[in-house]
Amino acid sequence: MPVADTILYGSVLTMDRQRPRASGLALAGGKVIAVGEASDLHEVAGPDTEVIDFGSACLMPAFHDAHVHLTRHGIELDYLDVSSVTSLAAGCELIRERAAASPPDGWVIATGFALQRWNLATVGREESGALEAAALGRKVLMHSQDHHSAWASRAALAAAGLTRATDLGPGARIVLDEAGEPTGLLLEEAVDPVSDAASRPTRHDLRAALARAGKHLASLGIATVHHMAAEGPDLWRELALTASDDAYELRVWACIPHQQIEAAAAIGLATNQGGANFRVGGAKFFADGALGSRTAWMLEPYAGTSEVGMVMDGPDVMQRRMPLALAAGLVPVVHAIGDAATRATLDAFEATAEQWRALGLRPRLEHAQHMHPDDVRRAGRLGVVASVQPIHLTFDLPSIAALLPDRSTRAYALRSLAAAGAPLAFGSDTPVASPDVFVGLRAACRRAAASGERLNMAEALSPDAALAAYTTGAAYAIQAEHRSGMLRPGFDADIVALSHDPLVSLDGLEVLATIKGGAFTYTA
């Protein structure tokens, strides 16, 4: 056995059922080489071994965030955040302050607005006028919290060349007012032209954003992220180059857009190629939109409406392109929020089951927020990974109550999915939501909004099950269960030191240190 570079002492929560608890860890060459008591670790110590005693702190596997948009997370750390305000007037005041400090020809870019939180059903002429008054003539773009819509000022629409006559195809919608004029509210792909006009980051900008993202997520105890494709090749290239450096704070599993399947197949690019720090992920599909923007694709209309949301990559797209992804060796990863979207996705997974099972691939249902009970059971039978972001339910509760009051028991069916046999992998969807793992853990276990209102406690998870979804379950989702998610000899030395044991209490938790591959990436 090699001599340890470092020995860590503390209250060790291994997430390994064979040995769930220990008093210390020995590390060498970026790996865990021993787990046990002081007498066990003494055998692998040498004269140059560094010993660090964390006292009563809890040492456990560093967290995965199983659903991030990593580059966007870094970029949006610099945006104006309007997620803390609860009214249109308060949001406009923040816009006015930023606009007044901006050059007349500049942009004000914000993130975090939500119609439901601002007590708006939609944006009409009156609301559009309020934004114009706050914009002071500037080009303003406010991304919604779910990032499936945005609200733009007239100057921003003009800069992108959008008018009431612009046709952007079935995956986009420019919302018009009573007179048939654009309100500035843009749904799904209608956001892209304004976003492109507002910001074209340079390579330096992208590297700086990724550096910010790495440091921030490491400070939250995260060592591995599953990056979901939603950007062009420039962003993916810089992400791959940055994350391929072993010194980067995060291990990255990065998906590609399904539109690039043919290009990937032409050069033999496939899931899990790469090294210890960067690996190719799956082919990302978008079956629908999001609940907050009323674009999640539902089996039945939203309450009081005739609308069922928007179909993005619908059944025809998945029927044609999912076999192509599998033939290329790319695992299908599908954004599906509404119960119609999750059903269509499971239909596609079931139709291709023989193909993906033969390849040893693990299809992923991303979000899985609203599911018919029949489909929950089907996901379990298929063994489909349910990649869920529990933190979303903390701000989705008002929308669920308003739009799906008769279907609230179907929302975030975490316990039912696990009981059915669907492996759970938890994340945040940052920058859509905060990547704070502790908030996500509490959401999975307590299912409470900021108001204190709770969502169907029959689907609440125990703390140990929620922790597993951020560690062992997330590692399984990317076929890394042989090296990540547990503290066991031979596994990566990816460790987080917490102020206390999360199985004792999920309140007041703090990250004291994060270690990736035996090296500190964050210390408090």
Side-chain angles (χ1 to χ4, degrees):
M1 181 175 291
V3 174
D5 302 324
T6 309
I7 291 178
L8 308 177
Y9 287 114
S11 175
V12 182
L13 177 63
T14 68
M15 301 304 295
D16 180 356
R17 292 181 180 178
Q18 294 181 17
R19 183 168 195 166
R21 297 283 182 174
S23 297
L25 306 164
L27 318 178
K31 299 286 185 180
V32 176
I33 61 168
V35 179
E37 308 308 310
S39 57
D40 304 315
L41 305 182
H42 185 75
E43 296 180 4
V44 298
D48 298 322
T49 299
E50 180 181 15
V51 177
I52 303 173
D53 190 346
F54 281 92
S56 62
C58 178
L59 303 177
M60 65 172 293
F63 302 119
H64 286 236
D65 189 317
H67 190 116
V68 306
H69 302 277
L70 187 59
T71 315
R72 296 299 309 178
H73 173 72
I75 289 172
E76 293 197 15
L77 288 173
D78 283 345
Y79 284 2
L80 172 65
D81 185 0
V82 298
S83 63
S84 61
V85 297
T86 57
S87 69
L88 173 62
C92 284
E93 184 56 34
L94 291 179
I95 293 292
R96 187 191 310 276
E97 292 173 3
R98 181 63 66 93
S102 302
D105 61 345
W107 283 83
V108 174
I109 305 179
T111 186
F113 101 87
L115 291 174
Q116 197 69 40
R117 193 174 65 247
W118 289 3
N119 295 314
L120 299 175
T122 187
V123 172
R125 185 179 298 181
E126 181 180 347
E127 293 80 18
S128 179
L131 177 62
E132 288 307 313
L136 305 177
R138 270 61 166 183
K139 297 183 283 286
V140 175
L141 177 63
M142 274 197 296
H143 293 279
S144 65
Q145 181 161 14
D146 61 25
H147 284 60
H148 285 262
S149 63
W151 191 0
S153 67
R154 290 175 193 146
L157 293 175
L162 297 185
T163 70
R164 63 180 178 179
T166 305
D167 183 2
L168 297 172
R173 186 183 304 166
I174 300 172
V175 176
L176 306 179
D177 64 18
E178 303 85 341
E181 294 297 328
T183 63
L185 184 61
L186 307 169
L187 304 183
E188 299 299 338
E189 293 173 5
V191 179
D192 296 345
V194 185
S195 186
D196 290 344
S199 176
R200 294 186 181 276
T202 65
R203 183 179 185 187
H204 173 78
D205 295 334
L206 296 174
R207 287 295 182 101
L210 287 163
R212 289 194 298 271
K215 288 179 170 55
H216 182 225
L217 296 179
S219 75
L220 302 176
I222 297 166
T224 302
V225 297
H226 309 183
H227 171 73
M228 299 292 130
E231 72 285 304
D234 290 349
L235 273 68
W236 202 91
R237 179 172 59 245
E238 294 308 321
L239 169 65
L241 289 169
T242 299
S244 292
D245 184 346
D246 287 343
Y248 191 56
E249 291 89 347
L250 304 170
R251 303 185 195 274
V252 178
W253 188 85
C255 295
I256 66 169
H258 80 82
Q259 292 86 348
Q260 302 302 321
I261 290 170
E262 289 86 351
I267 61 170
L269 195 70
T271 294
N272 288 332
Q273 290 174 344
N277 224 58
F278 177 83
R279 287 191 295 151
V280 178
K284 181 71 183 296
F285 294 77
F286 284 84
D288 66 343
L291 182 64
S293 295
R294 301 190 184 193
T295 56
W297 179 25
M298 306 302 298
L299 292 169
E300 303 163 46
Y302 293 113
T305 79
S306 60
E307 299 177 3
V308 293
M310 291 179 67
V311 181
M312 304 298 288
D313 295 326
D316 56 332
V317 173
M318 287 191 276
Q319 182 181 6
R320 285 186 290 105
R321 298 193 60 76
M322 200 170 285
L324 296 178
L326 293 166
L330 293 162
V331 66
V333 176
V334 186
H335 165 116
I337 288 182
D339 51 13
T342 52
R343 174 164 292 180
T345 302
L346 289 173
D347 288 345
F349 287 164
E350 194 162 29
T352 56
E354 185 175 344
Q355 193 177 2
W356 53 259
R357 283 179 175 144
L359 294 167
L361 297 177
R362 296 169 183 169
R364 294 172 54 131
L365 188 63
E366 299 297 321
H367 306 303
Q369 289 178 9
H370 305 278
M371 298 182 70
H372 190 282
D374 292 347
D375 294 319
V376 169
R377 290 188 286 270
R378 184 161 56 134
R381 287 197 304 271
L382 288 169
V384 167
V385 172
S387 172
V388 188
Q389 303 75 49
I391 191 172
H392 284 208
L393 71 84
T394 66
F395 53 79
D396 267 357
L397 268 172
S399 294
I400 293 169
L403 302 175
L404 308 171
D406 55 333
R407 288 158 277 177
S408 63
T409 57
R410 299 183 187 178
Y412 296 88
L414 304 180
R415 183 180 291 183
S416 293
L417 280 164
L424 295 179
F426 283 172
S428 66
D429 201 13
T430 185
V432 171
S434 166
D436 188 325
V437 175
F438 306 144
V439 177
L441 286 167
R442 290 193 290 269
C445 299
R446 299 173 184 171
R447 299 173 67 86
S451 65
E453 180 186 2
R454 294 181 185 263
L455 175 67
N456 188 18
M457 288 301 292
E459 293 291 352
L461 292 183
S462 62
D464 57 337
L467 279 171
Y470 279 107
T471 53
T472 54
Y476 175 86
I478 58 172
Q479 296 180 293
E481 69 272 20
H482 61 288
R483 59 175 296 178
S484 181
M486 286 190 285
L487 297 177
R488 176 190 284 183
F491 276 53
D492 293 328
D494 296 350
I495 302 158
V496 60
L498 303 178
S499 54
H500 63 264
D501 190 330
L503 294 184
V504 173
S505 174
L506 294 176
D507 294 316
L509 283 163
E510 296 180 8
V511 174
L512 305 180
T514 308
I515 296 170
K516 183 191 71 106
F520 282 87
T521 56
Y522 170 77
T523 57

